[in-house]
Amino acid sequence: MRRIACLVGLALSASMLAASPVDAAGHPTLHLKVPAHAHANKAATVTYSVSGAGSDAVALQRLSGTTWQTVKKLHSTTGTVTLPALQIGVYDLRLAAYTTHGQLVSAVGHKLRVFGKVKFAQLFNLPTHAYSTPAANFHYTFQFYNGRGTYTALVVKNAPCDSVHIQFIPGTDSGTSTVVGVSSGTLYLGRHNRSKLHATVAPQHVGRVGGPLDLNGAWSLLVAQAASGGQLMTWYVNGFADCDAQGITTWATPGSD
């Protein structure tokens, strides 16, 4: 009898061990891959794969407030989903599996950053000035009086932007067409842990400079002028950055010599 009891006990133990993988199979394995970032007002594509779902319903969802909304119900074990165009911001996405009774079984989520053009007027809380031609549309101005050095005009810290594009005019303080002793002006885009990008133009001419940024890193605008002696030059600056923030706050601080 003892031997029979032992055999029955072993059989029950084996039965319990065998049930474990069956229970695990009820929790599907989900994988979701989103792009590094998407662009505002353009469709973005995410990739997914599902295994062990059985009869569970699987859906791609997006968080709206505190509620997960289904973007698309998925019927294949692997595939891609094209999201509708989104506005600038950071979005929570997840792949979720539900029972036939609507109970959440398993989920995996990722954030999708959507970048878009943000004008300097939204980025910088700095005084603006209205100037006559040729700088009527260049609202940000700063003055540099130094014939030899370089002036840090603007410093930006921790802005969630991945690139910046700038137009500038090295002008004059008096509005005249020439700057005595100044032959050119150079604007530098300084990027944290990267080399500087720059452009050089003659006074009263439009220059352009831009390039990638380190996400959430610091960057700056520096100006320099070629001159035989120190002369005052007023710089006019406009531009935009590609950012993922919906609530733009003040990131910029004026520079110094």
Side-chain angles (χ1 to χ4, degrees):
M1 291 296 292
R2 288 182 179 178
R3 185 176 181 183
I4 293 174
C6 289
L7 290 174
V8 171
L10 289 171
L12 287 173
S13 298
S15 171
M16 291 173 67
L17 289 172
S20 188
V22 174
D23 292 340
H27 294 76
T29 300
L30 309 174
H31 294 282
L32 178 65
K33 184 178 181 181
V34 302
H37 67 261
H39 295 282
N41 302 315
K42 293 184 179 180
T45 300
V46 300
T47 304
Y48 72 91
S49 66
V50 181
S51 60
S55 60
D56 292 332
V58 181
L60 177 68
Q61 298 180 324
R62 191 186 101 191
L63 185 63
S64 177
T66 58
T67 305
W68 287 98
Q69 296 182 342
T70 296
V71 177
K72 185 176 182 179
K73 294 181 179 179
L74 307 175
H75 304 287
S76 302
T77 56
T78 61
T80 59
V81 177
T82 300
L83 299 171
L86 299 170
Q87 299 299 311
I88 297 173
V90 181
Y91 297 86
D92 288 300
L93 302 176
R94 78 174 185 181
L95 201 61
Y98 292 87
T99 66
T100 53
H101 299 291
Q103 181 180 0
L104 180 65
V105 176
S106 183
V108 60
H110 290 289
K111 290 185 182 296
L112 175 64
R113 295 176 178 271
V114 179
F115 285 71
K117 183 186 295 187
V118 178
K119 295 181 180 180
F120 279 6
Q122 293 173 266
L123 286 173
F124 307 145
N125 185 23
L126 297 176
T128 61
H129 306 278
Y131 282 84
S132 58
T133 306
N137 296 321
F138 287 69
H139 301 296
Y140 289 94
T141 64
F142 46 88
Q143 295 180 328
F144 175 43
Y145 186 85
N146 191 326
R148 300 181 181 222
T150 301
Y151 176 80
T152 302
L154 202 62
V155 177
V156 180
K157 297 180 179 179
N158 301 322
C161 308
D162 71 348
S163 64
V164 64
H165 308 268
I166 303 163
Q167 285 184 303
F168 66 96
I169 297 177
T172 68
D173 187 44
S174 62
T176 58
S177 60
T178 61
V179 182
V180 178
V182 178
S183 60
S184 64
T186 302
L187 184 140
Y188 295 89
L189 168 60
R191 298 171 295 156
H192 182 61
N193 291 334
R194 296 191 184 189
S195 60
K196 296 183 179 70
L197 300 175
H198 68 278
T200 300
V201 295
Q204 304 292 343
H205 288 71
V206 178
R208 293 175 177 83
V209 64
L213 302 171
D214 292 322
L215 187 62
N216 296 318
W219 53 277
S220 58
L221 299 184
L222 303 91
V223 295
Q225 60 194 45
S228 56
Q231 298 289 335
L232 178 65
M233 182 182 284
T234 299
W235 292 73
Y236 307 87
V237 179
N238 256 0
F240 66 89
D242 289 304
C243 307
D244 72 359
Q246 288 178 306
I248 301 298
T249 57
T250 302
W251 294 313
T253 57
S256 60
D257 288 10

